[in-house]
Amino acid sequence: MLIRKLFKFENAHIVRDCTTQRCSENIHGHSYKIEVLLESNYLDNGQMVYDFGLTKRSIKELIDSFDHAITLWSKDDRKYVEAMKTYSNRWVELPVSPSAEQFSRVIYLMVERILACTGMQNGEKEVKLDSIIVHETETGYAQGFREDAHSELMGEIKLEDIVFSSQVKSEWSDPQLWDKLLNHSLIENPKKV
């Protein structure tokens, strides 16, 4: 069975080297909609694949890291990257350009790691991430699957190369969340939310 949870955020970026000049040469923003599709052949004690309330914890917090932030590409011009970090408290730096396609890959890897580190408490079994859909506009989206997220042909993404600003991390319920995920530390789901 497949379930879907929708998240939203507002974000600014530049997508260097794309065909559209407005996108490749100007900071601009989008109202993103992110669909997280989870699957399992089993249902938990509440007869659910995965309680939607649980997605409002680590998954929502990491996706919300992009809200009212600027997303930067680590290989962009250093002066630009440093200026954006100087004048914005909320930023995320990625090892890939922040296109919708790359956002789907990055978010896939983040959610995949969350699920791998999560200690289930309510009989959830074999909950897997099917895909991530990133709606950049009302008419355009990118959908990333496991093979896309791990594809070296599309550019290698190491979670260790994703950097969140101190402001973003301070707003998480656990400011050490990213470090715990990078270290594969166990994150226990609560028995009740």
Side-chain angles (χ1 to χ4, degrees):
M1 178 169 289
L2 199 63
I3 63 169
R4 165 192 162 273
K5 181 66 176 170
L6 181 69
F7 300 93
K8 298 178 182 181
F9 64 80
E10 309 294 327
N11 188 267
H13 68 172
I14 290 180
V15 182
R16 299 290 187 201
D17 302 322
C18 72
T19 305
T20 307
Q21 284 184 301
R22 284 187 178 187
C23 296
S24 66
E25 298 173 4
N26 301 286
I27 299 171
H28 61 284
H30 296 284
S31 296
Y32 288 91
K33 293 178 185 171
I34 309 298
E35 294 182 55
V36 176
L37 288 87
L38 301 175
E39 65 178 324
S40 180
N41 292 319
Y42 300 93
L43 298 178
D44 67 9
N45 296 338
Q47 304 296 292
M48 302 174 180
V49 168
Y50 195 73
D51 193 313
F52 288 132
L54 294 173
T55 66
K56 295 177 184 176
R57 298 175 47 78
S58 300
I59 293 173
K60 182 183 186 319
E61 282 194 333
L62 281 185
I63 291 173
D64 192 58
S65 298
F66 295 96
D67 187 48
H68 285 75
I70 186 162
T71 302
L72 305 163
W73 180 24
S74 61
K75 292 185 180 164
D76 206 328
D77 181 88
R78 287 313 312 161
K79 288 183 193 174
Y80 165 74
V81 171
E82 292 310 316
M84 292 303 102
K85 289 180 177 181
T86 299
Y87 295 103
S88 180
N89 290 330
R90 289 185 55 82
W91 53 264
V92 181
E93 187 174 340
L94 304 178
V96 291
S97 183
S99 64
E101 291 84 350
Q102 295 291 30
F103 262 131
S104 74
R105 296 177 69 225
V106 165
I107 294 171
Y108 187 101
L109 292 170
M110 290 176 10
V111 174
E112 179 183 57
R113 180 64 60 90
I114 291 168
L115 290 174
C117 292
T118 298
M120 304 297 182
Q121 298 289 328
N122 196 34
E124 303 91 346
K125 285 191 250 175
E126 297 180 21
V127 177
K128 297 176 193 150
L129 181 56
D130 172 77
S131 61
I132 297 289
I133 301 174
V134 175
H135 297 264
E136 190 173 78
T137 65
E138 286 297 313
T139 60
Y141 71 85
Q143 184 169 9
F145 296 88
R146 184 180 196 290
E147 58 271 18
D148 303 318
H150 293 276
S151 172
E152 290 185 21
L153 298 174
M154 296 183 193
E156 184 179 15
I157 301 172
K158 293 180 183 174
L159 290 178
E160 295 80 9
D161 294 336
I162 298 171
V163 181
F164 297 95
S165 72
S166 56
Q167 179 67 43
V168 167
K169 292 192 281 190
S170 73
E171 294 175 10
W172 296 337
S173 59
D174 179 358
Q176 300 301 313
L177 173 63
W178 192 240
D179 293 328
K180 288 179 180 178
L181 292 171
L182 292 179
N183 292 319
H184 299 273
S185 298
L186 181 65
I187 300 170
E188 294 280 351
N189 268 346
K191 293 188 190 240
K192 294 287 181 187
V193 288

